[in-house]
Amino acid sequence: MKNLKFRLIVMNFLEYAVWGAYLICMGRYLAEHGMGTHIGIFYSIQGIVSIFMPALMGIVADRWIPAQKCLSLCHCMAGLLMAGAGIYGLSAGDAVQFGPLFTLYAFSVAFYMPTIALSNSVAFNALVKGGFDT
């Protein structure tokens, strides 16, 4: 059972470590590539999608897909889209444009925001099944 607790600790740590890893450097990257006026839009989209995407994915997880699979699907989609944004940024160099970068980033964040709630749901379910006090 210690293994379960350790895995849940790692899951929760990585959930917020990944989020913090790109948030702290995004503003600087945008400013260095001529998109300083758009920094607020990039940060605002997280708040906007966090209003409706966790509820939407929660409905999907409750009705059609188990929460663990929905969590992995959302992580995979968010990771692929964020990797796409990174690849686009690297390949475009100084010619990076707002439209493609923002689109990739917005969809990535739209899939990442539900993972916070889904990871808590999965953790509580695992703790209950493991016989731990939640």
Side-chain angles (χ1 to χ4, degrees):
M1 290 301 151
K2 277 190 164 192
N3 189 24
L4 173 66
K5 285 184 176 182
F6 179 73
R7 290 185 346 210
L8 293 175
I9 288 168
V10 170
M11 179 183 73
N12 280 314
F13 172 77
L14 290 174
E15 185 72 35
Y16 293 100
V18 167
W19 195 14
Y22 70 83
L23 280 181
I24 59 171
C25 57
M26 184 173 62
R28 182 175 178 169
Y29 173 82
L30 294 171
E32 288 177 358
H33 289 85
M35 288 186 268
T37 58
H38 299 296
I39 293 173
I41 297 169
F42 276 84
Y43 284 108
S44 296
I45 194 66
Q46 288 197 36
I48 293 166
V49 299
S50 68
I51 292 171
F52 62 89
M53 283 304 290
L56 183 65
M57 284 299 160
I59 292 168
V60 169
D62 285 343
R63 293 182 187 225
W64 297 294
I65 303 172
Q68 310 89 297
K69 290 183 180 180
C70 191
L71 177 63
S72 66
L73 176 68
C74 285
H75 269 138
C76 288
M77 289 299 296
L80 288 172
L81 289 162
M82 189 61 78
I87 291 168
Y88 169 71
L90 287 172
S91 64
D94 289 334
V96 66
Q97 295 179 353
F98 171 77
L101 185 64
F102 182 75
T103 302
L104 288 166
Y105 176 76
F107 280 109
S108 172
V109 171
F111 281 102
Y112 189 75
M113 286 296 118
T115 64
I116 297 167
L118 286 170
S119 68
N120 288 331
S121 176
V122 168
F124 278 113
N125 187 36
L127 289 171
V128 167
K129 284 185 177 180
F132 293 101
D133 182 22
T134 57

